[in-house]
Every structure is written in C-alpha cells, then in structure tokens.
Amino acid sequence: MKLLTTILLLSLLTACSDDGDSNNSNNANNVNNANNVDNGNNGNNSNNANNVNNVNNGNNSNNANNSNNQNNMNDMGADMPMPIVEMEPNGGSTLDEVNDGEVDREIQGSIQDAGDADVFKFTFDSGSVYHVTVVPSGDLQPHVTVFDAGRRGDDAGEDYVKIVRTAALAQAEMDFIAMGAGDHFIAIRDARTVDGTATGGAGFDYTLHVTEVPMADRIRGMLQDGSSVSGNLGSIGGLDLYQVTGTENQDVRITLTSQGTMDARLYMIAETTGDWVMRNDNANGADPELDAFFPLSGPMLVVVEQIGEDATGFDYTLIMRLGQ
C-alpha cells in the first residue's frame, strides 16, 4: 500500500512505500495499540498534492436588505457569494503557491496546461464532516486529493490523505472528516497525469464545491460489545460513522471485513477533541482492525472509509469486542 509521505511543499505529489508498520497511536493520546498499524493513512496514492497559490478571488456580494424604502434596491439575487476564480500559479511548489478556498463557495478552475495541478487551502472545523464535489467539463478526468497541511511538526500529507478519481466528464465526489487542528489542501489534476501522461489544456475546466455535512447524516448506528453490523459505503469516496462509548484503558478490538475490491480504512475519533486516537488500514490484508486500549473515556466515533482508487463493491461487516 502506498503511503503519501511528504509533499515537499508541494512541488510534486510523490508516492513512497511504507513497508514498516508503525504503532497506531495518536501521540497526543498515547494509545497502547496491539496492532493498529498506521501503514496507510494515505493509501494507494501514487500522488501528493502537486502545486499551490493563495488567491481568494471573486468578491463576496453578500447583499441582503430589501428594506421598504423608496429606492432601496439592494442587489437583487445576491444571496449566493460570487464564485472564486482559480488563479495561477497555484501548483503548490511552495506553501504560498495555493489559492484559498471557502466552504459553501464555488470555485471555478481549469487544468490549463498538460500536467497542471491546482491546489486550494481550506480551514475546516475539527471533527466535522465535509463533502467535496468536482464537476468537470471538456475531456477532464478529475483526480482529487484531500490531505492535511501539516500537523505536529510533520510535512503536509503525513497525517491524512484521501483520493478519488473518475473517468472523463464524470463528477468526482468524496466525504471526509477533518481531524484535529490545522488546515487542509484539496488538489485537482487530470487522472492521466497521475498515471504518467501529462494531460490538460483548453477546455479542461471544472467547478469545485465543498459543503459541511450534518454529522447525523453519516452516523449508521452504535457499536457495543459483541456488535456485528453490515454496511455499504455507497461509493468510492463514501464515509460511514458509528458511535462508541469508551472507557479509559479498556481493551477494544474492531474488525472490518470487506467485500468487493475496496481497500478499507478505520479510524477512531474522540468526540471531545475531534482528533483520531487510533487508526489502521491493513492489519488483515486489505482489511483493517483497531486493536488497542481506549486512551480516554467518553463518546467516540468509528470512521469507515476506503482508499482504493479503482475499488468496486463497498459492502462490509464490522465486529466489535471489548476486553479481548
């Protein structure tokens, strides 16, 4: 499984293999994991975010007051903010070479040259769920990467990466949960560039839209000792959440068995911090298992997602055991 290790800022999305399993513990929470391998928070990416530039174009025309005054016609139809128009250079060769993005504000962009990448920086709320949509036009085959902007002194993309790709004119969609403090990048390229054939040019346009999703819309149930539940992510970029109540220092094992070709990944997030306390993506081949001690007591969320770029079939079974 390929681990997206570093985005040199962000000159090229480079994939490096990580052959060694490292303990799945969030340093902040010191989880004594039995075999929670952090071998993949960035799975099959042969990519990182390629380039970046800060531009927040397009003005927020946030006009609203229709007062009952004689001639007070304040901006008809300006409820929606003006779109942000992507501006070059925003390929990510430095941290400043990105465009700023905003939740609930459309971005209009273009893969202007063969091999071009557009990178946008967003500020998200820790522990919140977001939905990313990229609608292409022309011959663009969207390849979309979401990754952290660098946390705990690590390089960008070391803590979290998720990728989705589509064929020509197919809309790319992805759910992800923002974990812990820090910004995130969203990088857009043509999938053929990632495969080794630099692609882009006139007409390779797209719109990018990021919205926050109510947590309740992704919660599929509650896990307890002995629970066995079946689920389906619904799509290559899907995300399911399960509620768990943790007791500090109690051993917990959560095993996922997938059907189809998906490469599943599990996280456990403490609701009090919005940050992960354990994670794994390949304890049992392509199937993950969380096996650790709860680092604290309180409400937790188990995150189910998958990181296979070409996966098909998204059914899975989730089993939880305590004290084993």
Side-chain angles (χ1 to χ4, degrees), residues 43-47 143 163-166 191 194-195 236 263 306-311:
N44 291 346
N45 320 331
S46 68
N47 333 288
H143 186 284
I163 289 174
V164 68
R165 61 185 291 163
T166 69
V194 178
D195 294 337
I236 200 166
D263 188 355
Q306 80 84 39
I307 51 179
E309 293 184 41
D310 302 308

Side-chain angles (χ1 to χ4, degrees), residues 43-248:
N44 291 346
N45 320 331
S46 68
N47 333 288
N48 286 355
N50 208 356
N51 322 147
V52 201
N53 188 345
N54 265 343
V55 176
N56 191 356
N57 261 4
N59 269 332
N60 243 350
S61 66
N62 207 4
N63 15 65
N65 294 336
N66 261 337
S67 14
N68 263 342
N69 286 341
Q70 311 142 301
N71 291 334
N72 222 359
M73 283 174 52
N74 275 336
D75 298 346
M76 297 164 63
D79 300 344
M80 299 291 292
M82 294 289 289
I84 295 171
V85 179
E86 174 250 335
M87 294 190 66
E88 299 289 348
N90 64 341
S93 59
T94 70
L95 274 177
D96 296 325
E97 202 176 88
V98 298
N99 289 177
D100 286 338
E102 296 178 19
V103 175
D104 290 324
R105 189 172 176 192
E106 182 180 281
I107 296 173
Q108 298 173 346
S110 178
I111 303 302
Q112 297 176 10
D113 302 306
D116 183 25
D118 295 338
V119 186
F120 303 92
K121 186 176 183 179
F122 286 81
T123 298
F124 297 125
D125 293 329
S126 180
S128 294
V129 178
Y130 295 92
H131 184 77
V132 178
T133 304
V134 175
V135 181
S137 64
D139 192 37
L140 179 64
Q141 297 181 16
H143 186 284
V144 183
T145 307
V146 173
F147 59 103
D148 70 279
R151 301 180 58 203
R152 305 187 188 100
D154 290 331
D155 291 325
E158 286 282 354
D159 193 68
Y160 183 84
V161 175
K162 189 171 180 179
I163 289 174
V164 68
R165 61 185 291 163
T166 69
L169 290 180
Q171 182 167 299
E173 297 190 63
M174 177 201 302
D175 286 342
F176 75 97
I177 189 163
M179 289 179 248
D183 296 325
H184 287 71
F185 293 117
I186 298 178
I188 300 174
R189 293 177 289 173
D190 189 282
R192 289 160 292 191
T193 295
V194 178
D195 294 337
T197 302
T199 306
F204 282 67
D205 302 325
Y206 63 85
T207 59
L208 165 64
H209 199 204
V210 181
T211 58
E212 185 173 352
V213 178
M215 186 75 72
D217 289 358
R218 297 297 183 266
I219 292 178
R220 308 306 181 203
M222 183 147 194
L223 298 179
Q224 298 175 328
D225 188 20
S227 290
S228 177
V229 299
S230 296
N232 185 303
L233 286 177
S235 69
I236 200 166
L239 176 117
D240 287 347
L241 301 175
Y242 293 87
Q243 295 171 308
V244 173
T245 300
T247 300
E248 187 173 359

Side-chain angles (χ1 to χ4, degrees), residues 4-13 48-49 92 147-148 155-157:
L4 194 58
T5 51
T6 173
I7 294 161
L8 273 171
L9 226 131
L10 290 288
S11 59
L12 272 177
L13 284 158
N48 286 355
F147 59 103
D148 70 279
D155 291 325

Side-chain angles (χ1 to χ4, degrees), residues 285-316:
D287 288 338
E289 179 179 272
L290 301 178
D291 188 357
F293 298 97
F294 286 111
L296 70 167
S297 298
M300 309 278 178
L301 288 171
V302 174
V303 181
V304 180
E305 58 184 10
Q306 80 84 39
I307 51 179
E309 293 184 41
D310 302 308
T312 57
F314 306 107
D315 292 310
Y316 63 86

Side-chain angles (χ1 to χ4, degrees), residues 310-324:
D310 302 308
T312 57
F314 306 107
D315 292 310
Y316 63 86
T317 302
L318 206 57
I319 297 174
M320 175 169 141
R321 293 272 188 261
L322 294 177
Q324 297 182 14

